[in-house]
Amino acid sequence: MITYDAVTQVMEHTNLTHVISFHGTPLPGDVWGWGIRPHYLIHYVTHGQGLLEIGGSSYPLSAGQAFLIRPYHLVRYSSCADNPITYWWVEWRGEGSDQLVDAMGFDQDHPVLTFRSSTEVLAAMDLLERAQDGSLADNLERKGELYRLMSCFLRNSMRADHADVKD
């Protein structure tokens, strides 16, 4: 469980910036990687099946799960040929990101998490994707929606209640 000190640490030392978000369906059997990304990414799977490969391990992917890609980690992920994956993803950077993804329950042994409810997560991702016209008002809205999405991930992660947050 997240302690009061950990909550204070995250709240006082978090400054996230949205980079991009998107949703789509790769071609059946499509593969991304081996590659690295310079920012954090969370892919939320809505349909189909796929596979994540990271750190010498493989993780099956299915609807209701999300997978995390940390900056500068070598990864590959793919879509099944007979049941293509569909996902939403968000890419961000910023101070406090490690503490947030730790609080969600992501760690080296758990780069894939299952979520309790897709409705709230998908609604937040949809709002985030809509707010991308580049104006100052839009950028402020996108920043707020990114924080809303992070709170949805925290509320809906099956491991968030048991995650330890590093000081």
Side-chain angles (χ1 to χ4, degrees), residues 26 34 39 70 104 154:
W34 292 98
H39 307 112
R70 291 181 189 260
M104 289 175 207
L154 280 164

Coordinates of all heavy atoms in Angstrom, one line a residue, residues 26 34 39 70 104 154:
P26 N -2.6 -2.6 -35.4 CA -1.5 -3.0 -36.3 C -2.0 -4.1 -37.3 O -3.0 -4.8 -37.0 CB -0.4 -3.6 -35.4 CG -0.8 -3.2 -34.1 CD -2.2 -3.0 -34.0
W34 N 13.0 -4.8 -32.7 CA 13.6 -4.4 -31.5 C 13.9 -2.9 -31.6 O 14.5 -2.5 -32.6 CB 14.9 -5.2 -31.2 CG 14.6 -6.6 -30.9 CD1 14.7 -7.7 -31.7 CD2 14.2 -7.1 -29.6 NE1 14.3 -8.8 -31.0 CE2 14.0 -8.5 -29.7 CE3 13.9 -6.5 -28.4 CZ2 13.6 -9.3 -28.7 CZ3 13.5 -7.4 -27.3 CH2 13.4 -8.7 -27.5
H39 N 10.9 8.1 -24.3 CA 10.0 8.5 -23.2 C 9.3 7.2 -22.7 O 9.5 6.1 -23.2 CB 8.9 9.4 -23.8 CG 9.5 10.6 -24.5 ND1 9.4 10.8 -25.9 CD2 10.2 11.7 -24.1 CE1 10.0 11.9 -26.2 NE2 10.5 12.4 -25.2
R70 N 9.6 1.6 -20.6 CA 10.4 2.6 -20.0 C 11.4 3.2 -20.9 O 11.8 2.6 -21.9 CB 11.1 2.1 -18.7 CG 10.2 1.7 -17.6 CD 11.0 1.2 -16.4 NE 10.1 0.6 -15.4 CZ 9.7 1.2 -14.3 NH1 10.1 2.4 -14.1 NH2 8.9 0.6 -13.5
M104 N 1.6 2.3 -9.8 CA 0.6 1.5 -10.6 C 0.8 0.0 -10.5 O -0.1 -0.8 -10.7 CB 0.6 1.9 -12.0 CG 0.1 3.3 -12.4 SD 0.4 3.6 -14.1 CE 0.5 5.4 -14.1
L154 N -4.0 4.2 -11.8 CA -3.8 3.9 -10.4 C -5.0 3.2 -9.8 O -4.9 2.3 -9.0 CB -3.4 5.1 -9.6 CG -2.0 5.6 -9.7 CD1 -1.8 7.0 -9.2 CD2 -1.1 4.7 -8.9

